[in-house]
Amino acid sequence: MPGSSPAPGGAADEGELEGLGSYRITRYEGEDGVPVMNVKLSLTPSGMTRLKLSHLAAEHGPHHPDVVRLSFELAEQLRQEGEFDEAEEVFRWVMAERRADLGPAHPDTLAAEAALASLLRARGRPEDAERLRRSVFAQRETTLGPDHPDTLAALGDLALVVLALGRHEEAERLARTALERRTRVLGPEHEDTLGSRNTLAGVLRARGALEEAGALYLSVLRDAERLLGRTSELTLTARINHAAVQYRLGHVAQAVRSMHDGVRQSVETKGAGHPDTLSAHATLGAMLQALGKVEEAASELRTAVVGMERLHGPDHPDVLKYRTSLAATFFNAGRHAQAEEECRLVVAGHERLYGTADPRTAKARENLRMVRIARG
């Protein structure tokens, strides 16, 4: 009612509207004792898109191109809101619709495949992501040519997923090819070229070529800061990665200072719950542990564990990795009871994710056994 406001002590009901957002209903007595009810709806971006989709599908049918297009937007919103299971389901539906209607080589079909691959890799399923990345790259190379920017983007994405699978030599070959082509086609200072340099540095870091990786990260950091600004995403990524390499090279104090800056900037630019921010928290936690700052290290690692678990559930590979680091922090500080609790959770997660016979599960069990021995 215009001009009315809830009176103190008014009754209020709150709840969730499944898939749409939330509501709040406030009841109170207005002027002259007339009952008043205020209803406030708060729709999420995906909730608003769902309502649009409902009307659009009713008007045009579920397979209309506009319904498929809006469904793709819904999947992206669901991913941003952390609804990964449903996002995957919608991405797969969009991909199937576009393949049937537009064909496997159409740019919109490939965009859906690439988006699904990105989601699968983030969810710790690089094997599934690789099949899609190879399909996208092959189609774009065939239809657009080897030097088209979209082809080069697909090549870089393929290098990242191959790296996630631990095939370092192949990943380096792909990353160097992408960098060489982007340098030639786009120039050495194009943002995409800097991104390829950053990708190659990541491959070198995974291979253990730390000096080369550190130098490459530093060059990306300086060029990105000069060309894109201090707060750009690539500048931030290069700063965090360079700090991580400096730590592994033994420059611990310097690395901790840089990583503190990186975490703070990631929170400001990407958000506290972004996977990159959580990864930075975990890296900073490992550094602080090396300096003997147990409480600070545990706090950073706990933030990473809780945040990633909220995004992907308890069995995501990154959750297990961060929890293992947290257990090690407790163990090295003599807090064996807390270390044992974390190790038990890691073992359970590995068993569900990889199975009881997997070497990674066996390693987790061995860590738990060592902690129990230390506890006596």
Side-chain angles (χ1 to χ4, degrees), residues 307-331:
M308 191 61 74
E309 189 171 26
R310 185 179 297 118
L311 286 175
H312 295 296
D315 300 338
H316 189 274
D318 285 346
V319 175
L320 300 177
K321 179 174 68 175
Y322 300 159
R323 198 180 288 283
T324 299
S325 295
L326 180 59
T329 299
F330 287 142
F331 181 80

Side-chain angles (χ1 to χ4, degrees), residues 36 98 109 155 179 211 259 361:
V36 177
R98 286 179 171 175
T109 305
L155 180 59
L179 176 57
E211 294 285 355
M259 188 59 71
T361 306

Side-chain angles (χ1 to χ4, degrees), residues 248-260:
R248 291 184 61 185
L249 287 170
H251 310 305
V252 177
Q254 174 189 342
V256 168
R257 287 194 298 272
S258 296
M259 188 59 71
H260 268 298

Side-chain angles (χ1 to χ4, degrees), residues 203-279:
V203 175
L204 295 170
R205 173 183 168 188
R207 274 190 51 214
L210 299 181
E211 294 285 355
E212 189 177 356
L216 200 51
Y217 276 137
L218 184 58
S219 74
V220 174
L221 172 59
R222 289 172 173 169
D223 287 345
E225 193 166 24
R226 173 173 56 87
L227 297 167
L228 306 174
R230 189 176 186 278
T231 60
S232 78
E233 182 170 347
L234 184 56
T235 302
L236 170 61
T237 299
R239 178 174 291 112
I240 290 174
N241 288 335
H242 180 254
V245 171
Q246 290 300 103
Y247 167 76
R248 291 184 61 185
L249 287 170
H251 310 305
V252 177
Q254 174 189 342
V256 168
R257 287 194 298 272
S258 296
M259 188 59 71
H260 268 298
D261 290 341
V263 169
R264 182 170 55 252
Q265 187 178 343
S266 189
V267 170
E268 292 172 356
T269 59
K270 296 185 177 183
H274 193 282
D276 291 348
T277 303
L278 300 174
S279 175

Side-chain angles (χ1 to χ4, degrees), residues 184-208:
R184 173 167 46 81
V185 174
L186 302 174
E189 295 192 335
H190 190 280
E191 182 175 359
D192 290 346
T193 305
L194 297 183
S196 284
R197 282 160 59 190
N198 189 73
T199 298
L200 177 58
V203 175
L204 295 170
R205 173 183 168 188
R207 274 190 51 214

